[in-house]
Amino acid sequence: MGTWSGKCFCGAVEVTVTGEPMAMGYCHCESCRHWSAGPVNAFTLWPPAAVKVTRGEDNVGTYKKTEQSHRKWCKSCGGHVYTDHPSLGFKDVFAAIIPDMPFKPAVHVNYGEAVLHVRDGLPKQKDFPAEMGGSGELLPE
Ligand SMILES: [Zn+2]
Ligand SMILES: [Zn+2]
């Protein structure tokens, strides 16, 4: 339990997260890879009220390709900050944005779409865990 702060690439936007993340891990889906321009996205999921923009709120842009994901980024530097998933009831603050928070990944999701295979011994969900509405199917590393 604690409060950690983070900021966008240029620092115009600052956020804090408070409490315990609901889940931490890595997502390999095509959307995460395409938007982040990287092979994998490290996520930390929070109840919406645990995430606060503490600086530069009017500098936060939103892009919604679908209603499920409201992607938040800084209008000055283009740096990504977090994604709001209102229909799922959590916000994903990218682990790289809050480097001081102890990141303890427990799962890989959407490993069926992976382009970078990771041999870290953590469970590899083909899509999402069953309790999150996915198949719950596990894949080999
Ligand atoms: Zn910025
Ligand atoms: Zn993803």
Side-chain angles (χ1 to χ4, degrees), residues 8-13 74 76-77:
C8 68
F9 193 54
C10 75
V13 176
C74 169
S76 297
C77 68

Side-chain angles (χ1 to χ4, degrees), residues 40-85:
V40 63
N41 187 47
F43 63 80
T44 71
L45 307 184
W46 301 83
V51 180
K52 294 210 161 38
V53 175
T54 51
R55 180 167 188 246
E57 179 123 47
D58 55 4
N59 213 42
V60 176
T62 301
Y63 178 71
K64 294 182 249 185
K65 192 174 195 176
T66 69
E67 268 310 312
Q68 213 172 53
S69 300
H70 300 196
R71 297 170 197 278
K72 307 286 184 175
W73 46 277
C74 169
K75 292 178 187 172
S76 297
C77 68
H80 300 170
V81 184
Y82 69 94
T83 296
D84 189 4
H85 297 285

Side-chain angles (χ1 to χ4, degrees), residues 14-32:
E14 291 182 5
V15 293
T16 62
V17 291
T18 301
E20 289 276 349
M22 301 156 68
M24 294 188 267
Y26 302 98
C27 185
H28 295 258
C29 83
E30 195 277 339
S31 292
C32 281

Side-chain angles (χ1 to χ4, degrees), residues 101-130:
M101 206 224 37
F103 180 61
K104 297 183 192 123
V107 67
H108 290 251
V109 297
N110 294 310
Y111 204 66
E113 300 176 42
V115 295
L116 178 72
H117 290 259
V118 182
R119 288 172 183 87
D120 60 2
L122 294 174
K124 307 294 186 301
Q125 294 277 345
K126 182 183 177 193
D127 41 79
F128 289 103

